[in-house]
Amino acid sequence: MRYAPIFLGLMLSMSPGGPRALAEDPRVLQRGARLIEPFDFRGVALQPGPLKTQVDEVRAFYLAVPDDDLLKGFRARAGHPALGKDLDGWYTSDTFHVFGQVVSGLARLHAATGDPACKEKANRLVEEWAKCIEPDGYFFASRKPNAPHYIYDKMLWGLLDAHAYCGNEQALRHLDRITDWAIRHLDRGRRVNDTSTEWYTLSENLYRAHFATGDLKYRDFAHVWEYRDYWDIYARNGDLFAPRPDGRRNEAYHAYSHVNTLGGAGAAYLATGDVHYLEVIRNAYETIQRDQCYATGGYGPDEMLLPAARILEKLGETHNSFETQCGSWAAFKLSKYLISFTGDAKYGDWVERLAINGLGASPPMTPDGRVFYYSDYCLHGGTKRNTDFGWSCCTGTRPQAFADYADQAYFHDADSIYVNLFTPSTITWNHAGDPIRLAQATTFPEGEETRLTVAVPRPQAFAIKVRTPGWLASPITARVNGEPVEVRPDERHWTTIRRTWNDGDVVSIRLPMRLSVSRPSSRRTPDAFTIGPVVLAFAAPNARPFARVDFDALENALVPMDGRPLRYRAAWDSSLVARPFASFGAGERYFVYLDPSMGSRIPHLDMQFRGRWNDAGAFRFSNEVGATAEGQFEGTGVRWLGKRFDDAGTAEVSIDGKFVAVVDQFGPGRDLPFDWSHRGLSPGRHAIRITVLERKADASLNRFVNVAGIEVLGGAGSTP
Ligand SMILES: [Zn+2]
């Protein structure tokens, strides 16, 4: 993003309904000040390490997708010869289409890595796609795009980034044509939380288009899509879930797009300098950290922002805990705006957590375009898995977000360089006419130290400022050329070493970490273990090993494994090992959060299903008469975990082969509480079987039966 103020000789054109401050000189594109600047990828290179390994994997994946496959739909719609094969999934059905983000990702990967193949591919894709734009500016892959606002926004990413990072001048011409179409055709209903369009994410890129071109058309159009109904709640530090002025209330907001939209407020601040927008994103950040984030930095279970208490309950209800690629990308953008506007390093902590436990904990994509969509923090055990279908939204944000590591690592101002990420990398910075090179070497987070080697053509005075993380166990200590130097963090959470630097000077920074228990609120549980920014998870096939955890002494529950950084044995069961969440591969069962009730719950993953059942993540459901779900337990009673729905039917429950009850899951609405339990069994092992029946309530729309799992009553470590 090239946000340096640009002055262009433009004709004054006033439009009614345009943004405030129109009386000021329209040639000034940016009025919002940045205290420190991102490098916008210039001069930075990741060096071999965990982040670079991931970026290289992502780059290789996207470079290998044939251009003809990516372009097939556009060419077919335009009546051109359409070679290549269908990419299937959401790509072929033109659902939240990611073509624009693939172009953006390649352009950014070029900026981040210097790989000319990424630039050439991005430019080829833009050129070929542009041949399919119709005379009126219509540009979608098909005649039935599902969310025109969303797809137009992603196309803006592609064109603006091809221009910014690949020198593609034609891209701005295409941008002009498709925007004229959008101005004429996009629906301006602008309903709150409208996930069928996600219209409220549009203003960010339209402001960027204004910065890139100087054309007031984009600024005025950006203003149309500002999401005041939602942004303003943050500006006044209000309650997202309180009744709105129209008397209606939002019980939930779509998570990713309601963080992504805050990028629009960030860009609006840059454009106008109006501190209202800065208040929006500052307060939004605090609210999201306090009420929405899990220990990993992930947020939005089942893709929802919810009241804080529900965020905890969701840990026991869903395996879809965090939309990882999209959610990380939105968080990265918001954090970067805040670091740069406020000069405060605290916002870098979120980037770090997600780079380690969110985006950075994703397994690779499958060659057919299936991506790691949801992180799973479920109390009843989780696994990492890629989606069942190809080319979801997260295949669009994945290359953008991974490329962003390089632009998150360092910032600068006139006489300081700021180290935000602790990762092997180099940065070359022009200061007082000289190129200054900093080489960072570290094994962080396995090791606590990072070393910065300075290369200067002649002695130079400047400051090196290191982010002071919120998770530190004790203050940062520093040495220059082996000699201790006194340092302390400033009010913006940077630890500064200012001196005249000589070529070859080495700064060693120690970032003390300690094992701690992360509690999402004042409630005692559920809890997760962290060391520094790293979230740990336990490898276990089921929750039984956790039945004997002493929750009053969790701080002493783990013992370090000799010589194995970030690895611990459980004090109560030495066969149980905790290691970084990021180290788990696809399909391995793990537990991130612990809760006293978990030992008594058997999730549907550990039950046996016969007949045709559908997997909704949190539960399975079937309307096939005779389909069965079976589970084994040890106790004197059992509770069936599920939900009531308006299309639910009845099931027969038997225990140890004997009929117990016919149970009806019908409820007048959807997702309503359901409670059925049976007690009074003899102590010992039992089996429960649930069989879908033909019969259903007259009012029910279908006969679906759902099973999330069972809870053992009156057993060891179970609910009495
Ligand atoms: Zn997504």
Side-chain angles (χ1 to χ4, degrees):
M1 284 165 272
R2 299 186 189 280
Y3 286 144
I6 305 166
F7 298 85
L8 296 174
L10 295 172
M11 299 292 289
L12 179 67
S13 92
M14 305 280 272
S15 72
R20 67 188 285 286
L22 276 180
E24 295 167 31
D25 186 343
R27 293 171 300 180
V28 180
L29 300 182
Q30 297 186 0
R31 297 184 173 86
R34 287 190 294 192
L35 295 187
I36 65 175
E37 301 270 342
F39 279 90
D40 201 16
F41 298 103
R42 282 180 293 256
V44 62
L46 298 181
Q47 300 298 329
L51 299 194
K52 183 172 192 301
T53 300
Q54 294 175 337
V55 173
D56 287 345
E57 182 265 315
V58 170
R59 181 166 54 100
F61 178 90
Y62 286 87
L63 280 175
V65 184
D67 294 2
D68 286 339
D69 297 1
L70 288 163
L71 292 160
K72 185 172 182 186
F74 299 103
R75 288 169 167 165
R77 185 262 301 146
H80 301 169
L83 306 167
K85 64 174 176 45
D86 283 322
L87 290 174
D88 293 330
W90 285 9
Y91 207 91
T92 297
S93 61
D94 202 356
T95 304
F96 299 112
H97 207 272
V98 296
F99 175 80
Q101 287 170 297
V102 171
V103 173
S104 160
L106 287 164
R108 285 166 179 265
L109 285 165
H110 168 65
T113 67
D115 184 351
C118 294
K119 172 180 172 174
E120 287 154 17
K121 189 176 182 74
N123 282 341
R124 277 198 315 271
L125 288 171
V126 169
E127 186 181 346
E128 290 299 311
W129 162 82
K131 293 176 185 168
C132 305
I133 304 176
E134 298 191 354
D136 71 347
Y138 187 90
F139 59 93
F140 296 97
S142 73
R143 293 278 162 212
K144 48 171 184 54
N146 76 313
H149 303 69
Y150 179 104
I151 298 172
Y152 167 61
D153 177 58
K154 308 318 170 200
M155 211 56 238
L156 295 179
W157 278 117
L159 295 172
L160 288 165
D161 292 344
H163 172 257
Y165 303 119
C166 302
N168 191 322
E169 293 299 326
Q170 294 301 313
L172 297 186
R173 215 165 48 82
H174 310 321
L175 182 74
D176 186 62
R177 293 176 64 200
I178 71 169
T179 296
D180 286 345
W181 183 92
I183 288 171
R184 284 194 306 276
H185 294 284
L186 286 185
D187 177 75
R188 300 196 187 194
R190 293 168 292 188
R191 283 179 292 118
V192 172
N193 201 26
D194 183 0
T195 52
S196 70
T197 63
E198 297 187 17
W199 60 266
Y200 40 76
T201 64
L202 266 171
S203 48
E204 180 174 20
N205 276 315
L206 287 166
Y207 278 121
R208 291 181 69 223
H210 173 59
F211 303 150
T213 64
D215 191 336
L216 295 174
K217 161 173 91 177
Y218 296 110
R219 191 191 63 181
D220 294 345
F221 203 35
H223 194 68
V224 168
W225 307 107
E226 290 193 3
Y227 195 8
R228 302 301 287 252
D229 284 341
Y230 170 74
W231 295 355
D232 289 0
I233 301 174
Y234 289 120
R236 60 175 185 269
N237 253 326
D239 177 357
L240 289 175
F241 307 100
R244 300 195 303 259
D246 63 5
R248 302 182 46 191
R249 207 168 72 79
N250 275 77
E251 291 178 5
Y253 297 83
H254 179 246
Y256 157 55
S257 60
H258 281 76
V259 178
N260 200 26
T261 179
L262 298 167
Y269 174 68
L270 269 183
T272 64
D274 184 341
V275 293
H276 172 84
Y277 297 112
L278 185 55
E279 283 307 292
V280 168
I281 60 174
R282 288 169 83 122
N283 294 344
Y285 185 95
E286 302 301 335
T287 304
I288 291 164
Q289 297 301 308
R290 185 189 65 227
D291 295 344
Q292 304 295 329
C293 279
Y294 294 120
T296 55
Y299 60 92
D302 288 334
E303 298 194 31
M304 290 185 284
L305 301 182
L306 294 163
R310 288 287 295 134
I311 295 295
L312 290 184
E313 290 169 5
K314 276 283 180 184
L315 282 171
E317 296 175 5
T318 184
H319 293 277
N320 302 339
S321 309
F322 174 40
E323 187 184 355
T324 307
Q325 320 291 312
C326 290
S328 296
W329 169 237
F332 283 3
K333 288 191 293 136
L334 174 60
S335 301
K336 198 192 294 177
Y337 281 124
L338 283 164
I339 293 169
S340 112
F341 296 158
T342 66
D344 196 326
K346 71 175 179 179
Y347 303 110
D349 286 10
W350 198 15
V351 177
E352 176 180 73
R353 275 204 289 166
L354 289 168
I356 291 173
N357 313 296
L359 185 74
S362 310
M365 281 177 69
T366 46
D368 55 1
R370 290 180 297 116
V371 69
F372 182 65
Y373 193 121
Y374 292 121
S375 293
D376 179 355
Y377 313 140
C378 185
L379 275 179
H380 312 308
T383 50
K384 294 181 182 175
R385 64 204 183 282
N386 287 353
T387 48
D388 297 334
F389 54 93
W391 297 98
S392 67
C393 50
C394 281
T395 62
T397 41
R398 184 174 168 87
Q400 295 181 300
F402 276 104
D404 209 44
Y405 284 164
D407 200 39
Q408 295 279 359
Y410 300 94
F411 292 78
H412 69 95
D413 62 17
D415 74 338
S416 308
I417 183 144
Y418 296 76
V419 181
N420 185 41
L421 293 184
F422 309 121
T423 189
S425 51
T426 54
I427 175 77
T428 304
W429 170 50
N430 285 307
H431 177 255
D434 284 332
I436 291 167
R437 190 169 181 275
L438 221 57
Q440 185 180 181
T442 182
T443 59
F444 181 85
E446 294 209 332
E448 294 183 340
E449 189 179 79
T450 188
R451 285 160 58 90
L452 301 156
T453 304
V454 178
V456 283
R458 57 196 162 103
Q460 278 265 16
F462 61 92
I464 296 176
K465 300 193 173 201
V466 176
R467 179 170 53 86
T468 313
W471 47 256
L472 282 178
S474 57
I476 284 180
T477 55
R479 290 171 181 268
V480 175
N481 301 327
E483 295 298 316
V485 290
E486 196 169 326
V487 289
R488 73 170 64 83
D490 64 20
E491 73 284 359
R492 291 192 182 125
H493 308 96
W494 300 101
T495 296
T496 301
I497 305 170
R498 183 183 299 278
R499 58 193 278 138
T500 299
W501 299 94
N502 294 306
D503 195 39
D505 281 348
V506 177
V507 187
S508 304
I509 302 287
R510 182 163 290 281
L511 302 147
M513 299 196 284
R514 87 170 145 231
L515 184 68
S516 55
V517 178
S518 166
R519 304 202 155 102
S521 75
S522 55
R523 243 176 67 160
R524 195 168 61 85
T525 57
D527 303 323
F529 289 95
T530 59
I531 171 150
V534 180
V535 173
L536 302 177
F538 292 88
N542 54 54
R544 266 171 238 129
F546 304 101
R548 288 184 289 115
V549 181
D550 179 359
F551 278 85
D552 292 323
L554 267 191
E555 266 76 5
N556 307 316
L558 296 188
V559 181
M561 288 172 73
D562 281 343
R564 308 213 47 196
L566 308 179
R567 288 178 198 234
Y568 297 83
R569 285 192 192 286
W572 73 91
D573 177 349
S574 65
S575 68
L576 199 56
V577 170
R579 56 185 164 89
F581 175 61
S583 72
F584 284 78
E588 275 185 278
R589 191 79 176 275
Y590 58 76
F591 290 78
V592 175
Y593 275 97
L594 308 188
D595 182 279
S597 73
M598 62 194 283
S600 64
R601 291 193 168 208
I602 297 173
H604 68 80
L605 295 170
D606 292 335
M607 296 176 67
Q608 302 85 46
F609 290 83
R610 281 197 199 84
R612 202 173 51 245
W613 289 82
N614 305 291
D615 190 345
F619 57 81
R620 286 186 221 194
F621 62 102
S622 175
N623 63 353
E624 183 181 277
V625 175
T628 61
E630 285 189 62
Q632 292 77 42
F633 61 94
E634 196 164 346
T636 58
V638 64
R639 171 174 286 125
W640 168 6
L641 304 171
K643 292 279 189 181
R644 290 188 178 279
F645 285 100
D646 57 5
D647 57 0
T650 65
E652 179 183 301
V653 181
S654 63
I655 294 179
D656 302 330
K658 293 194 198 72
F659 171 83
V660 174
V662 169
V663 180
D664 191 350
Q665 284 192 312
F666 172 73
R670 300 196 59 75
D671 213 15
L672 301 173
F674 164 76
D675 190 32
W676 181 88
S677 59
H678 182 78
R679 294 166 196 267
L681 301 169
S682 58
R685 288 190 70 77
H686 300 282
I688 180 173
R689 173 188 288 195
I690 296 164
T691 307
V692 180
L693 296 178
E694 174 98 41
R695 107 174 68 140
K696 68 173 189 68
D698 289 342
S700 179
L701 305 170
N702 206 310
R703 57 171 57 80
F704 287 109
V705 167
N706 64 80
V707 179
I710 54 176
E711 183 175 350
V712 185
L713 307 174
S718 73
T719 317

